[in-house]
Amino acid sequence: MKEFKHFINGKYVGSAGGKTFENRNPVDNSVIGIVHEGGREEVDAAVAAARAALKGPWGKLTQAERIELLNKVADRINERFDEFLEAECLDTGKPRKMAAHIDIPRGAANFKAFSETLANHPTEGFRLDTPDGKGALNVGHRTPKGVVAVVAPWNLPLLLMTWKVGPALACGNTVVVKPSEETPATTTLLGEVMNECGVPPGVFNVVHGFGPNSAGAFLTEHKDIDAITFTGETRTGEIIMKAAAVGLRNISMECGGKNPAIVFADCDLEKAVEGTMRSAFVNCGQVCLGTERVYVERPLFDAFLKRMKEEVAKLKPGRPEDPEANFGPLISLEHRDKVLSYYKLAEEEGATVEIGGGIPDMGEALQDGAWIEPTIWTGLPDEARVIREEIFGPCCHIRPFDSEEEVIALANDTRYGLAAAIWTENSSRAVRVAEQMEAGLVWVNSWFLRDLRTAFGGAKQSGIGREGGVHGLEFYTELKNICIKL
């Protein structure tokens, strides 16, 4: 039985009030650990430690010294790869080969990628003419934002947490991280790595707990937090945004999505099927960038649907360590109840269930796990709730369309605007349609192909702000202008 304590000022500490909750493995619902729940006392201590480190040892390091430390952190994660892999798979139930390919290596890479990118980006400089003819020099100068609250999600726990912590620390900030209550393990383990690599106490802090009336609310409402970065559902983002308004704290939010894929008849069918399979079903559909609405040009509709059903039938659920398994459980039984409610609603709204739609028989040993069938629907009206609301499960609806104008309107007919995928071999059409997508990220003939130097974020109710590459400078630093009279 593991015990997950808070990591504050370089030390692991329990909750003062002794409050804990269970951490369960979604594969079989077994208890794998006890997590300490943070209250105001723990959040106050973490924020105070972060503030002291900001003003003290961390703030006095040079940029080169910070980069060296963060590179050590990345290397140490990779040296302890198997430990991080085991922790991530116990928390999420995802196949080991997926976590070994994506979660852990990219989680480590975030420290190196952002420290190097942000350290070498220039600021602006302007020469100003003045009436006395001597002029003035204006120089842009960036300073850390301060103490940053990082509220991280459960679907890609290490990767999405370090996606925020990496650039925050590279810019000289200190952080207090509130990981999801569902996935405390890798964030907790990262504290050990920070100590091993010589990162000063208080730079990286972790407080566990829930949202309302718990660590999440206490952290985002804290008066000494200078900025908040959040990934999660839009409803929670709205609550955090209200909290951030008090004190005018800056926010960066990547929220929900109801992402479309547009498949034109001139696409490469096998590429489109392979890409859409990934975008709809990888990580059991628990990806904010995932596809839940698929629009297929009518001449290709039947062939595309047939191939998708064939590929879904090949998905093999199983334990993370099963080398043949490529499909894990949902994160929890609670989340499965939510997804199953949409499976039921789809049928009530008139969907044809092409494949899936229920709970698979996983045998006696795994019957208590959060397993669910990958599902494809057709036949739903465009106003159906299943078409308009984010489900965050392994499911998609496939609908035919007849014209480019029609499908652009359908794809954009959502309150969300996170991502879109376009499948066509016509380059002019690809650019033309991509430019009209109301989304922060658009992929053409690919999905989730990420260059960390590019902007990442959503439009409409899918988020506020952009991170990634130099765009993170706008959130993680304050840009001041220094005017020097000559």
Side-chain angles (χ1 to χ4, degrees):
M1 184 71 66
K2 297 181 182 295
E3 185 178 16
F4 300 100
K5 293 184 176 181
H6 315 294
F7 184 74
I8 299 174
N9 205 29
K11 296 180 180 179
Y12 287 100
V13 296
S15 294
K19 291 181 68 176
T20 61
F21 57 94
E22 293 178 336
N23 180 27
R24 290 182 176 269
N25 186 342
V27 169
D28 56 10
N29 202 37
S30 60
V31 179
I32 56 177
I34 298 297
V35 188
H36 287 255
E37 181 182 353
R40 292 190 187 277
E41 184 173 342
E42 289 75 30
V43 170
D44 286 346
V47 174
R51 180 68 60 190
L54 183 72
K55 300 297 183 183
W58 188 245
K60 294 176 181 178
L61 293 180
T62 66
Q63 183 71 42
E65 289 170 332
R66 282 202 299 266
I67 291 174
E68 183 180 1
L69 284 175
L70 295 179
N71 285 342
K72 285 183 180 179
V73 170
D75 291 339
R76 189 60 180 145
I77 292 173
N78 286 322
E79 289 168 3
R80 300 183 64 173
F81 191 95
D82 290 342
E83 293 175 73
F84 277 93
L85 181 61
E86 179 186 10
E88 199 80 329
C89 291
L90 279 172
D91 266 356
T92 64
K94 65 180 63 181
R96 287 178 67 91
K97 59 186 178 183
M98 175 193 168
H101 177 65
I102 298 176
D103 298 60
I104 310 307
R106 286 183 56 180
N110 282 334
F111 286 103
K112 285 191 176 182
F114 288 115
S115 63
E116 298 292 344
T117 299
L118 299 179
N120 295 304
H121 186 70
T123 53
E124 59 193 19
F126 301 99
R127 176 67 182 265
L128 175 67
D129 292 331
T130 57
D132 64 5
K134 295 181 181 180
L137 183 65
N138 289 280
V139 180
H141 178 68
R142 292 191 179 275
T143 57
K145 186 78 72 174
V147 179
V148 178
V150 176
V151 184
W154 47 255
N155 56 330
L156 296 161
L158 180 68
L159 190 161
L160 292 179
M161 180 267 295
T162 63
W163 161 259
K164 299 172 181 297
V165 171
L169 298 189
C171 289
N173 302 282
T174 56
V175 298
V176 180
V177 182
K178 207 295 282 185
S180 168
E181 62 273 15
E182 304 284 2
T183 52
T186 48
T187 302
T188 305
L189 183 58
L190 186 57
E192 289 186 21
V193 169
M194 293 288 178
N195 282 347
E196 290 172 349
C197 295
V199 175
V203 172
F204 175 81
N205 304 275
V206 179
V207 180
H208 296 293
F210 301 90
N213 199 35
S214 187
F218 301 147
L219 179 61
T220 54
E221 294 168 359
H222 202 287
K223 63 181 177 61
D224 285 333
I225 289 293
D226 299 299
I228 304 167
T229 176
F230 165 75
T231 295
E233 63 179 358
T234 299
R235 182 176 55 188
T236 304
E238 291 173 343
I239 295 171
I240 292 175
M241 191 172 178
K242 289 178 181 178
V246 179
L248 299 181
R249 279 90 53 75
N250 201 6
I251 55 172
S252 177
M253 295 189 173
E254 189 246 299
C255 298
K258 190 70 177 178
N259 308 305
I262 301 174
V263 183
F264 287 98
D266 65 358
C267 74
D268 182 312
L269 176 60
E270 292 309 310
K271 286 182 185 177
V273 169
E274 187 275 335
T276 308
M277 281 294 299
R278 288 181 58 240
S279 67
F281 300 110
V282 75
N283 204 35
C284 207
Q286 300 168 130
V287 180
C288 53
L289 304 167
T291 300
E292 293 188 4
R293 298 180 294 138
V294 183
Y295 300 101
V296 184
E297 199 165 9
R298 197 173 298 275
L300 191 65
F301 180 81
D302 291 338
F304 181 86
L305 176 60
K306 179 176 181 292
R307 286 291 295 114
M308 285 288 290
K309 290 167 64 175
E310 290 171 351
E311 293 303 309
V312 167
K314 296 176 185 177
L315 292 175
K316 185 182 185 303
R319 293 182 180 273
E321 61 271 19
D322 182 350
E324 297 183 1
N326 57 8
F327 191 77
L330 292 170
I331 190 64
S332 66
L333 292 175
E334 180 183 8
H335 186 54
R336 186 179 70 173
D337 288 342
K338 174 197 169 184
V339 176
L340 281 174
S341 72
Y342 278 101
Y343 281 19
K344 179 181 178 182
L345 178 62
E347 295 188 52
E348 293 173 353
E349 291 185 316
T352 298
V353 181
E354 299 288 348
I355 191 169
I359 299 174
D361 181 3
M362 298 298 296
E364 185 176 352
L366 302 182
Q367 66 179 356
D368 293 330
W371 302 95
I372 198 167
E373 291 179 338
T375 299
I376 294 176
W377 302 294
T378 58
L380 281 171
D382 296 323
E383 65 273 11
R385 284 179 55 198
V386 168
I387 301 298
R388 309 201 69 80
E389 299 175 11
E390 183 182 36
I391 301 171
F392 218 62
C395 53
C396 65
H397 179 262
I398 305 179
R399 177 207 193 280
F401 71 90
D402 295 298
S403 71
E404 185 177 307
E405 182 180 34
E406 176 195 16
V407 77
I408 290 171
L410 288 168
N412 288 335
D413 185 19
T414 173
R415 63 191 176 105
Y416 296 109
L418 185 54
I422 301 167
W423 300 90
T424 176
E425 294 299 306
N426 183 321
S427 59
S428 294
R429 170 182 283 154
V431 173
R432 186 170 62 244
V433 175
E435 288 180 341
Q436 295 180 74
M437 289 293 97
E438 297 170 355
L441 301 103
V442 181
W443 283 284
V444 176
N445 295 329
S446 64
W447 177 77
F448 213 168
L449 186 59
R450 287 284 297 128
D451 184 330
L452 295 181
R453 296 170 297 181
T454 62
F456 183 93
K460 298 193 277 191
Q461 291 187 31
S462 286
I464 294 175
R466 294 293 182 270
E467 296 185 31
V470 298
H471 306 283
L473 285 169
E474 297 304 314
F475 177 71
Y476 291 109
T477 67
E478 290 287 0
L479 178 60
K480 71 173 67 173
N481 183 71
I482 300 175
C483 182
I484 305 167
K485 179 68 175 68
L486 303 178

